[in-house]
Each structure stands twice: as structure tokens, then as C-alpha cells.
């Protein structure tokens, strides 16, 4: 570090990370008139809930659907953005299967559009397993899906996509992912799966969306904070503790050392980053591991466009797992120009060959594979950019819940430390779950 004068800051609460959860925590502290400092590594706030802009085209990190189950959470959201001004969208999502775009979640129509042999196998296997549903808690993802839905549905709908997203075979993944995507009651869910309309967020037929993307909500939250309390471009270097209390942080901000003394620490940064600053040795592979995401956005001149908002691509013929078209979420996401931005999500591991691909190579591969899907054929790329997210998904490997709990008990036993949000707790939280978790931690309230 350079600079001779070390800056000292004293505050009641230090909030680490300025994503959705860190901002929610800071905003709650601000409402309670408690002193706080928020430290964010990136120049912009919002973390995984940011909205980026390329030549006036806006895009989220994967399109953020708002599905809140709890009425109190809607009321809270309404204080940030008028809920009745949110767009209410009917879900239009597809799965690219055997060179066809079929509805996902599949409808009865798409089931019958499958080859007859698939249909016969699905019905036969389901009739065998339906009377004998198996517990979600006992098994890995593969066993659970096969034993509840049969081999064919597993192979067609779940195996390839799941392995492409997570980068590990389905027998090494926790079955909690099945609960998220498919639901716990197989007999009811197989009908819901094909007829649509249930309360599982992942399959919900409609959702809310801010006209200018999720970043619109983030901006309101960020603007509600006292500017002096928010430090961007800074990260923790090492913590100083006394007995079971963390007391002070040595941080680096824009190349300068800053000392921050605090009474309470709320951290929403990825656990791996926290462990690093606490000098906690941890086995990266077995315990705290992540799936990374590359977001490749291409701006095309277009003649015609599909009407879907996003489409899953399970086959390894495509470098991406999902395409997303922000224009089909909100007209506010595009300038009027006869062009369209298409966003491709590529999952990989940090520092693997895919992560290390040059931006040019990634854009060329995505363009090549988009052309393979027929719809966009002949369109010309006018602009593109690549964003990399090292900590996009906490890896939900088999028994990860138990291992993470034990690791936290062993290494994070400080009485003034709170872990908040998705990255801070290392949980597969959506926006609403982050909100409920932050409410509990900051206000000690049941959400
Ligand atoms: C592709 C994708 C699609 C999604 N779609 C939806 C959806 O449709 N609906 C929904 O409800 N949810 C969705 N989510 C989940 C949602 O984005 C997250 O639940 C939420 O944004 C998590 O916020 P967070 O603040 O807990 O974590 P993060 O957003 O990860 O925030 C952590 C913050 O800490 C910062 N940071 C990291 N390291 C340091 C450090 N060393 N020092 C200081 N700061 C640091 C980061 O820059 C970041 O700002 C999606 C997530 C992804 C990845």
C-alpha cells in the first residue's frame, strides 16, 4: 500500500458488500439512525442484482424476476418502488430440445410434441414411481429425480442442464436443488409441471419486473444512503480481534490503507473472501466452492425476434446454458434502434480454460452458437461485451449444508459478527430470501 497518512474511521456497524443484502442492511441501519460504514469492492453497488448498460441497452445478470410470497415483503418493496408501477409479465420461457423450442416448464402440448417413444417411457416410468415418492432429504439430485419422476424425464429435462450449470455430475449434487426446481411433492408436481400454475417460484407462470431492470431498485436503495457512509472500491485486508470480538479492520481503498474500528460487523461478501481476510485456512474444493458465470452480451441488428424472455440450452453443442432477451422483459431496456441485445450465460469454474478465454473468443463462440439455434440466423453483431462473476452460485454439492454449518461453527465464532444474504451465508437465496434474512439479522424481526 502507498501513502503515508493512514485514515481512521470509527463506526457502530461495518457492513461488508454493497449488493442487494448489504444495501438492505445499510438502509435499515440508516432508518434506525445507527452509524454505519458500507465497504464495497466494486466501483458500482448492486452485486449480482446490478443492471449494466451497453450502448444504451440495459441488461441484468440473468434477468431478475420478482416473486415475493410474503405480503410484508411487498409492502417493503413498495417503499422503494411503487409496486403498481412494476411490469406484470407472463412468463415465456423455452427449452431448446432436439432442435425445437419447447415450452419450459413443459406444457401438455410440449409433452405431446416429444417423440412418441419418449412419451410412452415417461408415462410408464411415472406410473411406477408415483405411488412411491421418496424423501427429498435423503439422496443426491440424480437419485431423487429418477426415483420421483423416472429415468426419461430426468434425462430429458434435468440431467444435462443441471450438470452444465453446476459443472459436477448430478450424483454429486445435493437434492435441495431438486426442491428448488421441481418441488417436494412429486405426485402433485408432475401435474403442475405440465399444466402450469403453482406457487413454486421457479415455475411460476408470471412475475413482476421493474421497467428499467433490477438496477432501478438498487439505485433507489443506494440513493437512500448517506453518501459519506458508502465506500466503493475498497476491500478487507485483515481483521483484528480481541477475545471473541472483532474490533478493527485494515482495509485497502483505492490503493490506500484505511483503519475501520467497529462494534458490529455485518458481512454479505462471499464466505471465501471473508475467510481470506480472517486468515482462516479452508479447503476450497470440499467446503466453500462456487460456480462462476460469464455473461456475454451481443447487440444484433434484427429482422424478426422470438417472443420468449429466456431459453435453456442443455446440450453441450452450445457454449451457453441460457439466453436471455431483455427487450422481451421491458421496452425500457432498449433504445429505439432496430437492434436487440441478447445475453448469454456461460457457467464455468474460476480460472478454468473457459474463464480464461479472451473476450473476443467468447463473443465469437456465443455468436457461432446463437446462429446454430436458427432463430437469429443472418443477424449482424454491432457491439458486444463480457462480464465475469467469480462467485455467482454457491456450489450445492452433496451434504454441503452440514459441511458449511460445521465450518462456520469452527471458524466464525465471534459474538459481534452477522453473516447476511446469499453470498455472506453461502446459501442459494433469491431476492426475497435475502430480504427476510437481512430483516432478521438487522432488526431481529421475523419477516
Ligand atoms: C444469474 C442469476 C440470476 C438470478 N435471478 C434471480 C431472479 O430472477 N429472482 C431472484 O429473486 N433472484 C435472482 N438471483 C439471485 C439474486 O441475484 C441474489 O439473491 C442477490 O442479488 C444476492 O445479493 P447479496 O447481496 O446477498 O450477494 P451479492 O450480490 O453477491 O453481493 C455481495 C457484494 O459483496 C461485494 N464483495 C465481494 N467481495 C468483496 C470484498 N472482498 N470486499 C468488499 N466487497 C466485496 C460484491 O462485489 C457484491 O457487491 C439471481 C442470481 C444470479 C446469479
Amino acid at each position: 500500500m502507498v501513502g503515508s497518512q493512514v485514515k481512521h474511521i470509527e463506526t457502530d456497524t461495518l457492513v461488508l458488500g454493497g449488493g442487494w443484502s448489504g444495501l438492505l442492511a445499510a438502509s435499515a441501519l440508516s432508518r434506525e439512525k445507527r452509524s454505519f460504514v458500507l465497504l464495497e469492492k466494486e466501483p458500482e453497488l448492486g452485486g449480482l442484482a446490478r443492471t449494466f448498460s451497453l450502448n444504451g441497452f440495459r441488461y441484468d445478470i440473468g434477468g431478475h424476476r420478482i416473486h415475493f410470497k410474503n405480503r410484508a415483503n411487498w409492502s417493503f418493496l413498495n417503499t422503494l418502488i411503487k409496486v403498481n408501477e412494476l411490469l406484470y409479465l407472463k412468463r415465456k420461457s423455452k427449452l431448446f430440445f432436439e432442435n425445437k423450442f419447447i415450452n419450459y416448464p413443459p406444457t401438455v402440448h410440449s409433452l405431446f410434441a416429444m417423440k412418441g417413444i419418449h412419451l410412452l417411457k415417461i408415462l410408464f416410468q411415472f406410473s411406477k414411481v408415483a405411488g412411491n415418492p421418496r424423501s427429498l432429504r435423503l439422496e443426491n439430485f440424480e437419485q431423487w429425480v429418477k426415483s420421483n419422476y423416472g429415468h426419461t424425464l430426468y434425462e430429458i429435462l434435468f440431467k444435462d442442464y443441471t450438470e452444465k450449470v453446476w459443472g459436477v455430475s448430478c450424483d454429486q449434487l445435493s437434492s435441495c436443488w431438486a426442491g428448488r426446481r421441481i418441488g417436494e411433492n412429486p405426485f402433485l408436481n408432475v401435474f403442475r409441471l405440465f399444466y402450469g400454475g403453482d406457487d413454486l417460484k421457479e415455475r411460476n407462470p408470471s412475475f413482476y419486473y421493474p421497467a428499467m431492470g433490477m438496477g432501478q431498485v438498487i439505485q433507489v436503495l443506494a440513493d437512500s444512503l448517506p453518501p459519506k457512509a458508502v465506500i466503493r472500491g475498497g476491500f478487507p485486508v485483515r481483521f483484528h480481534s480481541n477475545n471473541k470480538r472483532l474490533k478493527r479492520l485494515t482495509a485497502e481503498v483505492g490503493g490506500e490503507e484505511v483503519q475501520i474500528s467497529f462494534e458490529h460487523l455485518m458481512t454479505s461478501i462471499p464466505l471465501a473472501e471473508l475467510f481470506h481476510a480472517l486468515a482462516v485456512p479452508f479447503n476450497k474444493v470440499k467446503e466453500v466452492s462456487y460456480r462462476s458465470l460469464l455473461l456475454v452480451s451481443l447487440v444484433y441488428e434484427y429482422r424478426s425476434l422470438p417472443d420468449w424472455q429466456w431459453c435453456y440450452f442443455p446440450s453441450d453443442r452450445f457454449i451457453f446454458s441460457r439466453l436471455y432477451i431483455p427487450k422481451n422483459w421491458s421496452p425500457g431496456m432498449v433504445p429505439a434502434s432496430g437492434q436487440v441485445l441478447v445475453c448469454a450465460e456461460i457457467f464455468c469454474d474460476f480460472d478454468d480454460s473457459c474463464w480464461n478465454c479472451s473476450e473476443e473468443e467468447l463473443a465469437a463462440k456465443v455468436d457461432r452458437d446463437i446462429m446454430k439455434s436458427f432463430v437469429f440466423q443472418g443477424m449482424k453483431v454491432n457491439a458486444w461485451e463480457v462480464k465475469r462473476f467469480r462467485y455467482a452460485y454457491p456450489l450445492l454439492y452433496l451434504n454441503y449444508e452440514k459441511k458449511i454449518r460445521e465450518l462456520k461453527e469452527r471458524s466464525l465464532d465471534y459474538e459481534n459478527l452477522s453473516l447476511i444474504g446469499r453470498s455472506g451465508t453461502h446459501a442459494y437465496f433469491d431476492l426475497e430470501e435475502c430480504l427476510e434474512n437481512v430483516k432478521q439479522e438487522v432488526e431481529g424481526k421475523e419477516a
Side-chain angles (χ1 to χ4, degrees), residues 15-24 39-50 60-68 201-202 207 209 214 218 231 233-237 267-270 272-274 277 291 293 295 310 322 329 345 347 389 391-393 420-425 427-434 437-438:
V15 180
L16 288 183
W20 169 243
S21 303
L23 288 170
L24 288 171
L39 186 68
E40 163 60 46
K41 189 164 82 175
E42 299 292 332
E44 329 93 34
L45 300 168
L48 295 171
R50 271 172 292 175
D60 294 351
I61 304 174
H64 272 59
R65 285 173 276 162
I66 300 182
H67 287 296
F68 286 180
K201 289 182 183 179
E202 186 61 37
F207 59 94
Y209 190 65
M214 188 56 207
I218 293 293
I231 303 175
F235 58 89
V237 176
T267 165
S268 67
I269 67 175
E273 295 277 313
L274 178 68
R291 193 66 171 152
L293 172 66
L295 212 55
W310 70 95
R322 197 161 67 151
W329 292 56
E345 290 169 23
F347 292 94
F389 305 93
Y391 303 111
Y393 284 70
I420 55 170
R422 169 181 170 121
S423 298
T425 61
Y428 191 72
F429 283 169
D430 64 14
L431 295 166
E432 184 177 33
E433 290 162 320
C434 290
N437 170 264
V438 171

Side-chain angles (χ1 to χ4, degrees), residues 398-447:
L398 206 53
N399 299 326
Y400 87 99
E401 299 97 326
K402 181 168 175 279
K403 290 201 170 153
I404 294 292
R405 196 173 51 246
E406 287 170 358
L407 182 66
K408 286 179 187 168
E409 282 165 9
R410 252 194 342 264
S411 314
L412 299 176
D413 187 18
Y414 296 101
E415 55 195 33
N416 59 340
L417 168 68
S418 302
L419 305 178
I420 55 170
R422 169 181 170 121
S423 298
T425 61
H426 204 76
Y428 191 72
F429 283 169
D430 64 14
L431 295 166
E432 184 177 33
E433 290 162 320
C434 290
L435 173 58
E436 298 197 334
N437 170 264
V438 171
K439 268 192 195 169
Q440 273 181 352
E441 289 295 331
V442 182
E443 302 166 17
K445 276 187 202 162
E446 288 294 322

Side-chain angles (χ1 to χ4, degrees), residues 22-241:
L23 288 170
L24 288 171
S27 144
L29 294 168
S30 175
R31 284 195 304 277
E32 291 180 6
K33 309 245 180 299
R34 281 161 63 182
S35 95
F36 72 90
V37 165
L38 183 147
L39 186 68
E40 163 60 46
K41 189 164 82 175
E42 299 292 332
E44 329 93 34
L45 300 168
L48 295 171
R50 271 172 292 175
T51 298
F52 297 102
S53 177
L54 168 63
N55 294 355
F57 292 87
R58 296 169 66 82
Y59 63 96
D60 294 351
I61 304 174
H64 272 59
R65 285 173 276 162
I66 300 182
H67 287 296
F68 286 180
K69 285 189 167 179
N70 186 328
R71 196 183 274 241
N73 297 332
W74 281 117
S75 304
F76 171 76
L77 187 68
N78 199 49
T79 64
L80 302 177
I81 182 166
K82 289 282 160 261
V83 166
N84 59 11
E85 288 171 15
L86 291 174
L87 303 176
Y88 181 66
L89 300 175
K90 207 167 150 2
R91 172 182 175 145
K92 289 181 194 153
S93 52
K94 300 278 180 185
L95 176 85
F96 195 70
F97 174 69
E98 295 183 339
N99 282 339
K100 277 189 280 199
F101 289 90
I102 63 167
N103 292 330
Y104 189 88
T107 54
V108 174
H109 180 259
S110 50
L111 183 66
F112 283 97
M114 288 177 185
K115 283 183 189 152
I117 185 74
H118 288 328
L119 184 60
L120 284 176
K121 279 189 191 164
I122 289 168
L123 294 177
F124 174 69
Q125 288 164 10
F126 186 68
S127 70
K128 276 180 54 184
V129 298
N132 183 27
R134 305 276 292 272
S135 165
L136 190 57
R137 272 160 282 278
L138 292 178
E139 300 151 2
N140 64 48
F141 181 89
E142 176 179 339
Q143 288 168 326
W144 188 88
V145 181
K146 280 185 177 171
S147 61
N148 284 298
Y149 293 89
H151 281 58
T152 307
L153 268 184
Y154 165 75
E155 296 286 340
I156 291 177
L157 292 183
F158 302 110
K159 179 180 186 297
D160 291 346
Y161 182 73
T162 306
E163 291 187 348
K164 210 169 160 186
V165 169
W166 293 103
V168 290
S169 70
C170 288
D171 62 357
Q172 294 303 308
L173 273 180
S174 161
S175 57
C176 77
W177 173 241
R180 284 309 195 104
R181 281 189 74 80
I182 325 170
E184 294 212 24
N185 183 334
F187 191 73
L188 271 182
N189 279 321
V190 89
F191 291 103
R192 287 170 169 169
L193 187 66
F194 292 105
Y195 284 100
D198 67 78
D199 59 354
L200 196 72
K201 289 182 183 179
E202 186 61 37
R203 293 201 309 266
N204 207 298
S206 51
F207 59 94
Y208 288 86
Y209 190 65
M212 301 299 284
M214 188 56 207
Q216 191 180 347
V217 184
I218 293 293
Q219 190 63 50
V220 178
L221 261 180
D223 290 347
S224 73
L225 303 177
K228 280 196 178 147
V230 179
I231 303 175
R232 300 166 193 226
F235 58 89
V237 176
R238 73 180 173 279
F239 283 98
H240 309 269
S241 61

